[in-house]
Amino acid sequence: GEEKRNAANAIREAGEQERKRIAADLHDNIGAYASAISADVEKLSLGGFQNTPYALDNLRNHSAEIIRSLRDTIWVLKKEDITLTSVSDRIKNYVSKLASSYPAFTVNSEEQVTVDIKIGSKKALNLYRIIQEAVSNSLKHSEGNELRLSVKGDENGYSISVKDNGKGIGRMDNREGNGMQNIKLRAEESGFDLDIISSPGSGTEIIVGQSPAT
């Protein structure tokens, strides 16, 4: 009777939350690029290729980002649980592609996973998005030349670190805006441990993870 109804309601509510999360993720990651594409098309139609040569590159890049973002969402939707090494592989692939646009940076990756922990799909997507944001921020805004990515997983839990040797996060830095807020909100939503270690001139390190107890 009542137990079955409660269970059915709980399942329905979980499904609804999942749909809302996916909708929000698609809106954040695809909606923004779609808007940018629309603006670039408008510029091209008004000014032509000669007057707006950058618009074509923007269209190409934004289209690629939409495809990548869709693939990320589908990757998560296909599985209930995702392993830490699967998240790590996807992050390394993302870093490799993005870093090619920033030749001044040297990128070092290390992976120490003795226990390949399974992560729920919701947490896996948030973890992946947090690291994407951290990497993008470092490459675009830190003004450094070295990025270190570290993935660790053992019986005590898992953590992923993104560290740069740039200027650190100041009050007026772009990273204090939406990017960092997104990182904090996603970490809070998934109950991750989040450490942001930074001071002007000493670079920035963002560490996100979880211990078995949480």
Side-chain angles (χ1 to χ4, degrees):
E2 190 173 346
E3 282 185 12
K4 280 188 178 179
R5 275 197 302 276
N6 289 341
N9 287 337
I11 291 168
R12 192 160 48 246
E13 191 173 323
E16 183 62 26
Q17 288 300 318
E18 197 76 354
R19 281 193 292 275
K20 285 180 180 176
R21 176 182 64 82
I22 293 160
D25 196 72
L26 291 174
H27 176 269
D28 291 346
N29 290 283
I30 294 180
Y33 292 121
S35 296
I37 285 173
S38 179
D40 287 328
V41 169
E42 186 71 18
K43 287 172 190 171
L44 280 169
S45 65
L46 291 172
F49 286 105
Q50 289 184 334
N51 294 326
T52 51
Y54 61 88
L56 192 58
D57 282 338
N58 285 351
L59 279 171
R60 188 180 294 114
N61 293 335
H62 292 148
S63 298
E65 289 294 340
I66 283 179
I67 292 165
R68 181 184 56 75
S69 192
L70 272 173
R71 285 175 177 162
D72 292 341
T73 305
I74 291 165
W75 163 66
V76 166
L77 283 173
K78 281 183 175 178
K79 300 174 182 178
E80 289 185 9
D81 290 314
I82 295 169
T83 61
L84 178 61
T85 52
S86 176
V87 176
S88 177
D89 288 345
R90 205 158 191 95
I91 288 168
K92 284 186 284 188
N93 188 39
Y94 171 78
V95 172
S96 173
K97 286 181 178 177
L98 190 62
S100 64
S101 299
Y102 298 88
F105 267 85
T106 299
V107 178
N108 295 304
S109 298
E110 64 169 345
E111 189 176 295
Q112 298 175 354
V113 179
T114 55
V115 177
D116 198 6
I117 298 162
K118 286 186 176 180
I119 307 167
S121 61
K122 179 178 179 179
K123 287 188 175 184
L125 185 59
N126 273 340
L127 182 63
Y128 179 60
R129 294 290 188 219
I130 286 169
I131 300 303
Q132 274 186 310
E133 191 82 56
V135 168
S136 176
N137 282 343
S138 286
L139 293 175
K140 291 178 182 177
H141 304 301
S142 74
E143 298 178 15
N145 59 12
E146 185 177 347
L147 182 76
R148 299 188 71 87
L149 174 72
S150 174
V151 181
K152 296 179 181 177
D154 56 32
E155 64 276 1
N156 296 314
Y158 60 88
S159 67
I160 302 179
S161 160
V162 175
K163 185 176 184 180
D164 65 55
N165 66 342
K167 62 184 179 180
I169 300 175
R171 285 188 177 180
M172 300 306 289
D173 194 293
N174 287 337
R175 292 183 289 180
E176 282 291 87
N178 290 337
M180 200 57 74
Q181 282 303 311
N182 285 341
I183 285 174
K184 289 175 180 176
L185 286 171
R186 286 183 182 275
E188 186 179 345
E189 181 186 335
S190 286
F192 292 137
D193 299 319
L194 177 67
D195 289 312
I196 300 168
I197 304 162
S198 181
S199 58
S202 66
T204 300
E205 182 176 16
I206 291 174
I207 309 164
V208 61
Q210 197 158 37
S211 61
T214 56

